[in-house]
Amino acid sequence: MQLSGQPRVYVRQNDALRCVGPDTEVFLQGQLSQDISELSDNESAWSFLLNPNGKVAVWLRISRLSDDEYLLDMDEGWGQLALNRLERFKIRVKSEIQITQLQVTSILGKGSKKLGEASANSGIISDIGWLNIEGFDLLGVSTDVPEGCEIGTKEEYEFLRISNGVPRMGSELTEDVIPAETNLIERSVSFTKGCYTGQELVARLDSRGNRVPKHLRRLTSSDSFAIGSSIEGENGLVGTVTSSSESITGTVGLAYISRSFEVPGEASIDGASVLIESAFT
């Protein structure tokens, strides 16, 4: 789905953790998969917060506010889990972590980059990082919608998220998932920083070419299909739909698909044909 005309704005609430104190950077550097040491003030990066076994606890964005203050934001409903996970390892660390909410204003579509440059003094500007669409996120307790935008719908944003292969907590990202399955390694993991919790599994799989049993893929069909539907290949079940969204042109979805299934390729859901291809983030 390509947006035409003016850029469109989508406003949502994310959970956030505000981390403040002299030990904050060192502590988070040892907990997150991303290297945060080179971030400048009001600069952001995506990262995994992993469990000790190397599986996903939360996928989040970290923004540096100052030398000793950082903001972590993530999908709504996952802040408490992230807080609990960090507190497990915060022993004799001078850093206070408080859970709050953050307004995220996403501006997507052709021309949004210029709006982002004009909004530089309105809050934290974070590149959306989607390959197939221009856009940025404006982060703040409350943010003003830039002039020259149309208001988009929640349903439209969901269709764009899925079309761009962006996973969501609770759908594609759970505590049963490992980073190598998600297509998020390149933008969320540093292989040059020091140790962090959960690093061993990530590093081991990277050394083996990230060969895992399944990978996140994008689904498209002219027919309807729903979350939880089974996906059948020539030799049987290859995956289960984790997200889906419909438009007048058809249905898009995401699913973890068996490594044995070659992409792009045709499969079926309830007898309807579906194209399985790489998910781009």
Side-chain angles (χ1 to χ4, degrees), residues 33-35 185-186 188-194 196 199 202:
S33 63
Q34 186 62 267
D35 187 351
I185 289 286
E186 185 173 348
S188 306
V189 175
S190 169
F191 290 98
T192 58
K193 63 175 286 184
Y196 58 90
Q199 179 191 27
V202 176

Side-chain angles (χ1 to χ4, degrees), residues 163 183 215-221 252-255 257 261-266 274-280:
S163 297
N183 300 310
H215 292 278
L216 187 64
R217 304 299 191 193
R218 183 174 56 189
L219 319 172
T220 55
S221 177
V252 296
L254 294 173
I257 301 297
F261 186 91
E262 293 189 15
V263 295
E266 295 281 344
V274 58
L275 174 65
I276 301 177
E277 53 192 339
S278 296
F280 299 103

Side-chain angles (χ1 to χ4, degrees), residues 165-179:
V166 181
R168 181 178 61 193
M169 287 299 304
S171 297
E172 290 73 42
L173 300 174
T174 70
E175 291 186 292
D176 294 324
V177 170
I178 59 177

